[in-house]
Amino acid sequence: MISQANALGGNETDFLSLQAFKSRILHDPYSTTSSWNNSTHFCQWAGITCTNKSQRVLVINLTDKGLSGSLSPHLGNLSFLQVLKLGNNTFKGNIPYQLGNLLRLQILNLNNNLLQGQIPPNLSQCLNLTYLNLAYNSLMGKLPQELTSLSNLTDLIIHDNNFTGGFPPFIGNLTSLQTISASSNPFGGTLPDIFGRMKNLVALGLGGTGIFGTLPPSIYNISSINILSLPGNNLSGKLLPNLGLMLPNLQFLQLGSNQFDGPIPSSLSNVSGLVRLDMTNNSFSGKLSIDFSRMKSFYGMVMWNNNLGSGEPDEMQFIVSLANCTDLQVLGFQDNQFKGALPSYVGNFSQKLYHFAISGNQLYGEIPPWIGDLTGLTLLSLRNNELTGSIPLNIGNLYKVQRLTLSSNQLTGSIPPSIGNLTLLNDLYLHENRFEGTIPSSLGNCQQLTWLYIQDNNLSGTIPKELFGIPSLSITLSLARNRLFGSLPDEVGKLVHLAQIDVSDNELSGEIPRSIGSCTSLQNLYLQGNFFRGSIPSSLASLKGIQNLDLSRNNLSGRIPEFLGEFSISNLNLSFNNFEGEVPTKGVFANFNSTLVSGNRRLCGGISELKLPKCTILKPKKHKKLLKIILIAASATSILVGLLVLLILCWFKRRKDRKNVQESLPGETFPKLSYEQILKATNGFSPSNLVGTGGFGTVYRAVLNDDEMVFAVKVVNLNRRGASKSFIAECEALRNVRHRNLVKIYTCCSSIDFQGNEFKALVYEFMPNGSLESWLHGNLTANTAAGELPKLTLLQRIRVAFDVASALEYLHRHCQTPVIHCDLKPNNILLDNDMVAHVGDFGLMVMEPNQHGSSIGIRGTIGYAPPEYGVGGEVSTYGDVYSYGILLLEMVTGKKPTDPMFGEDINLHNYAKMSFPDRILEIVDPMLLQDMKEDDTKCLASMINIGVKCSMDTTRDRMDIGDVVDELSLILKDRESTSSR
């Protein structure tokens, strides 16, 4: 201390202030402040920049360092400090009021911490402050009136806090402000009429702040504004007709999810720089009269769920003006009142247009031929209108389209064979029209179809066998309510992964094909209302997952098979056939509300609620009775011998299991645990020790009293189908793999006989920071205090992405036998005390040489499992790469692949792909959009690019996991270098 003080001269105050600041830091995972000692001058410490001559502290930049603790009031003694950046850490407590002593301070960035309390009023003394960022904290109360003295402030960023008390009028005095970002605060109240004073304001973001009332007139006086973002509030009223003249510099106008009504101002035609228009989920009405021809950079607009439309014959002519928008990519007008015909000609429509959805309106007339010229489309949705005529023959030119929705119209003619050219098509919806003719066999070329809806038309002819040669059909094949005849082809058995077949209410005949028993993924089978004959084939006994089976209104005969009673079926309809004999009484047949057998006059027995006659039992002849006795005796003898052999085998197994109650992994020194020890360590499996639940078991936090060692115990629920197999797989996998980014299993406890019950458990290292799922989606975990939602910085997300990729590369390339995880998702990524990611839950893993393609069964979780697994494709390392790509996109966007916004029109992969590379900030998790620099945008773009390349539909197009690790390594190195500046 003496040598340092002598070297400091008159700067000892700065030295002592920094030491006091360090003393409040409780956790420093990257040892950032390890250089803060007496051996070097404080101006050489990490994150510190000093003035050249006087050697006084000028800048403190410790952004993204994972620091936790509280802020020292001694920071207020750094009288030369101009920049204080402590964002993206986990500092708690209040903002010290002593920061108001920093009279030279220009930049204060404390965003994305866990700070509480109010903004200190004496920050108003920092008269040189230009940039104030307090976003993503837990600050509360009203904004201090004293801040009105910050006349030099240009950026006020306070979104995602708990500020209340209305948006303060004094903000209008801060005339230097260029950016106000205050969204996601419960301000409430109305907008004050003070914005007209802000002649320099460029961006105003007040989305989700609970404000109500009308827009104050002064808003329209801010002619400099580029971004006006007010979505998710309770604003109402009409927009001024001359809005476009008063705000000529608008680029982004976002007013979605409010209560605005009236027309959308036609004066927006004058805003030549408009890029995006979001008016969704309001009550706008009237004719859309905007001329878009001058908007050369216009990207698109979404206006779904309004009342737009006037009924005038030319109200769809605005589409013609969009032909001059060469960057146009998105048009969404679903669920309005547009009434009219699509223009017959639009000129050179943008080939960049990928999303065209105008469903749920009152459009009439024919589909214009220019639709076939939009070769960039990946989605075309015209459903639920009043369109007539036939499908244009050039529909086959849309070679990129993945979802085509023309359902619920009045279309006629035949389905053009050219539709078979759409080889990337995933979903085809042509139902509820008036199509005639036959189903084109060319549909068999659409080898990526998962949904095919052609029901409720006037189609005739036989069902083409080519439909059953589409291996990707895994959701629904619906041909119901047409006039199809002939037999159901035997090729139907090829659809081994299809969940629903509906060919009801046609004129199909012949027997139910035995091959349908190969469709083992079927959940719903609807064959009613046809002319099927013969008996129910015994091969249907393999349809173990069937939930709804309707065979009613046919000419089926024979006895009702007993195996139907073994299914966990919800609805069984066998009515109005020619079945005979006794009705079973087990399973679904015991539930009167789930079974229909009426209209079969030769049935008897069953449960009393069916009100069928009793079955007549005929007395057998004597010699038949003797033969029956002999057969019964022989059968009984065989059964007794079998039971004896089984008992002997079980006895030997029991002895072996008792000998090896626990089996520790090679190389691990961990105590063998009995059931009683685990029971004690988990406090009797107390709910307070519960960490989480999974598909096959429950995880508890456990502590050994002897050495206070903390570990996790996964108790396997043996009542769940596949649980025992999963347990064996996970133990086997982690016996043979070792990597820093894999969860370490200490012990596999199996075959413990405790009070007559078998007990299986995995004992593995405890991860105090829980799962990636809880960090991405804000779920409170056991180690997260109430009111503190977990937040991941960009740097932390990159590190997690790198850790997971490294683990996959090890599993795929560096194990003696490649290991395929098969269930990669945020719930299976666990974070240790230093936020290092570990891949866990190997219950579905496959050792690559042992897998045999489709016989392995469907693996993974919906949204993360690759498409080939659903169509009988082989389980492979490329499947893990797909899951990783979806995981990476979820980390960047903050959206799950099963988010409600994804469905008929788009999925997470396409959502990200469509934004790349120019619009990525529109889809990035809002928690990351803080203090953005150009390097950050580049970094996010690189991550999205990797995620998209990994999650391609076909395996050959996906990235190699080694290349993923290499690219992420460069991204991580670049980001760490940027953060240390």
PDB file of all heavy atoms in Angstrom, residues 533-547:
ATOM      1  N   ARG A 533     -66.289 -53.526 -46.836  1.00  0.00           N
ATOM      2  CA  ARG A 533     -66.908 -54.786 -46.428  1.00  0.00           C
ATOM      3  C   ARG A 533     -65.845 -55.673 -45.785  1.00  0.00           C
ATOM      4  O   ARG A 533     -64.681 -55.319 -45.706  1.00  0.00           O
ATOM      5  CB  ARG A 533     -67.523 -55.479 -47.643  1.00  0.00           C
ATOM      6  CG  ARG A 533     -66.524 -55.722 -48.764  1.00  0.00           C
ATOM      7  CD  ARG A 533     -67.168 -56.427 -49.953  1.00  0.00           C
ATOM      8  NE  ARG A 533     -66.270 -56.503 -51.090  1.00  0.00           N
ATOM      9  CZ  ARG A 533     -65.283 -57.375 -51.219  1.00  0.00           C
ATOM     10  NH1 ARG A 533     -65.049 -58.254 -50.247  1.00  0.00           N
ATOM     11  NH2 ARG A 533     -64.514 -57.374 -52.305  1.00  0.00           N
ATOM     12  N   GLY A 534     -66.312 -56.867 -45.363  1.00  0.00           N
ATOM     13  CA  GLY A 534     -65.412 -57.809 -44.718  1.00  0.00           C
ATOM     14  C   GLY A 534     -65.251 -57.498 -43.242  1.00  0.00           C
ATOM     15  O   GLY A 534     -65.937 -56.634 -42.674  1.00  0.00           O
ATOM     16  N   SER A 535     -64.335 -58.202 -42.615  1.00  0.00           N
ATOM     17  CA  SER A 535     -64.117 -58.042 -41.175  1.00  0.00           C
ATOM     18  C   SER A 535     -63.017 -57.031 -40.893  1.00  0.00           C
ATOM     19  O   SER A 535     -62.276 -56.621 -41.792  1.00  0.00           O
ATOM     20  CB  SER A 535     -63.747 -59.395 -40.552  1.00  0.00           C
ATOM     21  OG  SER A 535     -62.547 -59.884 -41.141  1.00  0.00           O
ATOM     22  N   ILE A 536     -62.928 -56.639 -39.636  1.00  0.00           N
ATOM     23  CA  ILE A 536     -61.837 -55.751 -39.208  1.00  0.00           C
ATOM     24  C   ILE A 536     -60.553 -56.577 -39.218  1.00  0.00           C
ATOM     25  O   ILE A 536     -60.446 -57.593 -38.524  1.00  0.00           O
ATOM     26  CB  ILE A 536     -62.104 -55.198 -37.798  1.00  0.00           C
ATOM     27  CG1 ILE A 536     -63.371 -54.342 -37.790  1.00  0.00           C
ATOM     28  CG2 ILE A 536     -60.908 -54.373 -37.307  1.00  0.00           C
ATOM     29  CD1 ILE A 536     -63.770 -53.839 -36.419  1.00  0.00           C
ATOM     30  N   PRO A 537     -59.547 -56.181 -40.014  1.00  0.00           N
ATOM     31  CA  PRO A 537     -58.333 -57.005 -40.110  1.00  0.00           C
ATOM     32  C   PRO A 537     -57.582 -57.084 -38.780  1.00  0.00           C
ATOM     33  O   PRO A 537     -57.503 -56.107 -38.045  1.00  0.00           O
ATOM     34  CB  PRO A 537     -57.505 -56.301 -41.189  1.00  0.00           C
ATOM     35  CG  PRO A 537     -58.044 -54.918 -41.270  1.00  0.00           C
ATOM     36  CD  PRO A 537     -59.480 -54.997 -40.888  1.00  0.00           C
ATOM     37  N   SER A 538     -57.050 -58.272 -38.507  1.00  0.00           N
ATOM     38  CA  SER A 538     -56.318 -58.472 -37.252  1.00  0.00           C
ATOM     39  C   SER A 538     -55.054 -57.633 -37.178  1.00  0.00           C
ATOM     40  O   SER A 538     -54.534 -57.361 -36.101  1.00  0.00           O
ATOM     41  CB  SER A 538     -55.952 -59.956 -37.096  1.00  0.00           C
ATOM     42  OG  SER A 538     -55.156 -60.391 -38.203  1.00  0.00           O
ATOM     43  N   SER A 539     -54.554 -57.185 -38.347  1.00  0.00           N
ATOM     44  CA  SER A 539     -53.331 -56.369 -38.363  1.00  0.00           C
ATOM     45  C   SER A 539     -53.517 -55.040 -37.654  1.00  0.00           C
ATOM     46  O   SER A 539     -52.541 -54.403 -37.237  1.00  0.00           O
ATOM     47  CB  SER A 539     -52.887 -56.113 -39.812  1.00  0.00           C
ATOM     48  OG  SER A 539     -53.898 -55.407 -40.527  1.00  0.00           O
ATOM     49  N   LEU A 540     -54.784 -54.612 -37.475  1.00  0.00           N
ATOM     50  CA  LEU A 540     -55.022 -53.347 -36.770  1.00  0.00           C
ATOM     51  C   LEU A 540     -54.633 -53.435 -35.302  1.00  0.00           C
ATOM     52  O   LEU A 540     -54.580 -52.415 -34.608  1.00  0.00           O
ATOM     53  CB  LEU A 540     -56.496 -52.932 -36.895  1.00  0.00           C
ATOM     54  CG  LEU A 540     -56.803 -51.951 -38.054  1.00  0.00           C
ATOM     55  CD1 LEU A 540     -56.466 -52.568 -39.394  1.00  0.00           C
ATOM     56  CD2 LEU A 540     -58.258 -51.509 -38.008  1.00  0.00           C
ATOM     57  N   ALA A 541     -54.330 -54.635 -34.819  1.00  0.00           N
ATOM     58  CA  ALA A 541     -53.904 -54.803 -33.430  1.00  0.00           C
ATOM     59  C   ALA A 541     -52.586 -54.090 -33.153  1.00  0.00           C
ATOM     60  O   ALA A 541     -52.254 -53.811 -31.989  1.00  0.00           O
ATOM     61  CB  ALA A 541     -53.767 -56.289 -33.096  1.00  0.00           C
ATOM     62  N   SER A 542     -51.841 -53.753 -34.219  1.00  0.00           N
ATOM     63  CA  SER A 542     -50.560 -53.063 -34.031  1.00  0.00           C
ATOM     64  C   SER A 542     -50.714 -51.557 -33.864  1.00  0.00           C
ATOM     65  O   SER A 542     -49.742 -50.855 -33.584  1.00  0.00           O
ATOM     66  CB  SER A 542     -49.632 -53.346 -35.205  1.00  0.00           C
ATOM     67  OG  SER A 542     -50.209 -52.877 -36.417  1.00  0.00           O
ATOM     68  N   LEU A 543     -51.942 -51.043 -34.018  1.00  0.00           N
ATOM     69  CA  LEU A 543     -52.164 -49.589 -33.891  1.00  0.00           C
ATOM     70  C   LEU A 543     -52.347 -49.222 -32.423  1.00  0.00           C
ATOM     71  O   LEU A 543     -53.414 -48.795 -31.974  1.00  0.00           O
ATOM     72  CB  LEU A 543     -53.381 -49.164 -34.710  1.00  0.00           C
ATOM     73  CG  LEU A 543     -53.363 -49.526 -36.203  1.00  0.00           C
ATOM     74  CD1 LEU A 543     -54.617 -48.996 -36.897  1.00  0.00           C
ATOM     75  CD2 LEU A 543     -52.111 -48.978 -36.876  1.00  0.00           C
ATOM     76  N   LYS A 544     -51.280 -49.360 -31.647  1.00  0.00           N
ATOM     77  CA  LYS A 544     -51.359 -49.184 -30.197  1.00  0.00           C
ATOM     78  C   LYS A 544     -51.661 -47.753 -29.777  1.00  0.00           C
ATOM     79  O   LYS A 544     -52.189 -47.514 -28.686  1.00  0.00           O
ATOM     80  CB  LYS A 544     -50.040 -49.629 -29.547  1.00  0.00           C
ATOM     81  CG  LYS A 544     -49.629 -51.058 -29.855  1.00  0.00           C
ATOM     82  CD  LYS A 544     -50.609 -52.067 -29.275  1.00  0.00           C
ATOM     83  CE  LYS A 544     -50.119 -53.487 -29.474  1.00  0.00           C
ATOM     84  NZ  LYS A 544     -51.069 -54.491 -28.959  1.00  0.00           N
ATOM     85  N   GLY A 545     -51.347 -46.785 -30.626  1.00  0.00           N
ATOM     86  CA  GLY A 545     -51.538 -45.386 -30.235  1.00  0.00           C
ATOM     87  C   GLY A 545     -52.826 -44.779 -30.711  1.00  0.00           C
ATOM     88  O   GLY A 545     -53.028 -43.559 -30.576  1.00  0.00           O
ATOM     89  N   ILE A 546     -53.712 -45.582 -31.267  1.00  0.00           N
ATOM     90  CA  ILE A 546     -54.941 -45.032 -31.838  1.00  0.00           C
ATOM     91  C   ILE A 546     -55.803 -44.385 -30.762  1.00  0.00           C
ATOM     92  O   ILE A 546     -55.974 -44.916 -29.665  1.00  0.00           O
ATOM     93  CB  ILE A 546     -55.726 -46.143 -32.579  1.00  0.00           C
ATOM     94  CG1 ILE A 546     -56.714 -45.541 -33.572  1.00  0.00           C
ATOM     95  CG2 ILE A 546     -56.391 -47.086 -31.613  1.00  0.00           C
ATOM     96  CD1 ILE A 546     -56.087 -45.041 -34.832  1.00  0.00           C
ATOM     97  N   GLN A 547     -56.326 -43.217 -31.060  1.00  0.00           N
ATOM     98  CA  GLN A 547     -57.178 -42.484 -30.130  1.00  0.00           C
ATOM     99  C   GLN A 547     -58.621 -42.410 -30.609  1.00  0.00           C
ATOM    100  O   GLN A 547     -59.551 -42.470 -29.809  1.00  0.00           O
ATOM    101  CB  GLN A 547     -56.634 -41.061 -29.937  1.00  0.00           C
ATOM    102  CG  GLN A 547     -55.290 -40.992 -29.244  1.00  0.00           C
ATOM    103  CD  GLN A 547     -55.388 -41.459 -27.814  1.00  0.00           C
ATOM    104  OE1 GLN A 547     -56.238 -41.007 -27.053  1.00  0.00           O
ATOM    105  NE2 GLN A 547     -54.507 -42.369 -27.432  1.00  0.00           N
TER     106      GLN A 547
END
